[in-house]
Amino acid sequence: TAIFAGSMGMVQYDIKRVIAYSTMSQLGYMFLAMGIGVYSLGMFHLMTHAFFKALLFMAAGSVIHSLDGEQDIRKMGGLQKVMPLTHVTFLIGSLALAGFPLTSGYFSKEAIILSSYHAQMGNIFFWGIAVLTAGMTAFYIFRVYFYTFAGKLRSPEAHPHESPMIMVMPLLAL
């Protein structure tokens, strides 16, 4: 599940679909933890994942709102300067999902990766699945991040703007 859903996330162009496939992949990660007998780590990843995934979905909604309903990341780009608050929150959520050190995602994923080899029911095969999935996750979320926020705006008819504070405040809280 973790690898299959991750591979689907790597080829999608709809911002919400990438994040949705990411959720399926992370559920596979949680089941890996449960399968090797480290239930507390599976639950820990479930909780950390809930918060950074909520942040990513809400930030994606802010981007979609700004672009009048556009969800294709190929038609985005250059939103870093136009949407600074949404940009920063999406970056924080992306770093957590990718397992960047000192983020919540790092602590939960690293524990699962280590346990997938060292736990009583762990082995090199499970460790390989965990590491491959972690790499795929970092790839697809930063693919979305760079398509959306870096470069130039690729949709000339769009007039992006930062979302109203009623939308941005929950992003900042998360």
Side-chain angles (χ1 to χ4, degrees), residues 152-166:
K152 297 184 301 185
L153 183 63
R154 290 181 283 279
S155 184
E157 66 276 355
H159 302 289
H161 56 281
E162 184 64 85
S163 295
M165 288 310 286
I166 192 84

Side-chain angles (χ1 to χ4, degrees), residues 26 29-34 38-51 108 112:
Q26 296 306 298
Y29 228 88
M30 293 168 213
F31 276 98
L32 172 63
M34 301 291 185
V38 287
Y39 307 108
S40 60
L41 295 181
M43 290 302 296
F44 179 44
H45 191 56
L46 175 69
M47 294 307 295
T48 60
H49 178 262
F51 285 95
S108 61
I112 293 172

Side-chain angles (χ1 to χ4, degrees), residues 30 100 114 164:
M30 293 168 213
F100 190 78
L114 289 173

Side-chain angles (χ1 to χ4, degrees), residues 2 8 16 31 33 50 68 72 86 89 93 98 102 128 139-140 150-151 174:
M8 294 298 292
K16 289 192 321 184
F31 276 98
D68 297 324
D72 189 340
T86 301
T89 57
L102 302 181
F139 173 80
Y140 62 68
L174 285 169

Side-chain angles (χ1 to χ4, degrees), residues 26-122:
Q26 296 306 298
L27 285 170
Y29 228 88
M30 293 168 213
F31 276 98
L32 172 63
M34 301 291 185
I36 60 172
V38 287
Y39 307 108
S40 60
L41 295 181
M43 290 302 296
F44 179 44
H45 191 56
L46 175 69
M47 294 307 295
T48 60
H49 178 262
F51 285 95
F52 58 72
K53 193 54 66 85
L55 175 60
L56 285 170
F57 266 116
M58 291 174 67
S62 179
V63 168
I64 293 166
H65 167 77
S66 173
L67 295 173
D68 297 324
E70 184 59 63
Q71 293 182 200
D72 189 340
I73 59 175
R74 295 172 293 187
K75 296 179 182 174
M76 297 178 184
L79 298 179
Q80 179 178 1
K81 293 177 182 150
V82 181
M83 303 180 74
L85 296 174
T86 301
H87 165 255
V88 168
T89 57
F90 195 94
L91 177 60
I92 291 169
S94 298
L95 289 169
L97 177 61
F100 190 78
L102 302 181
T103 62
S104 62
Y106 168 78
F107 292 111
S108 61
K109 279 185 161 183
E110 186 69 17
I112 293 172
I113 290 171
L114 289 173
S115 295
S116 67
Y117 184 76
H118 293 291
Q120 184 176 357
M121 292 188 286

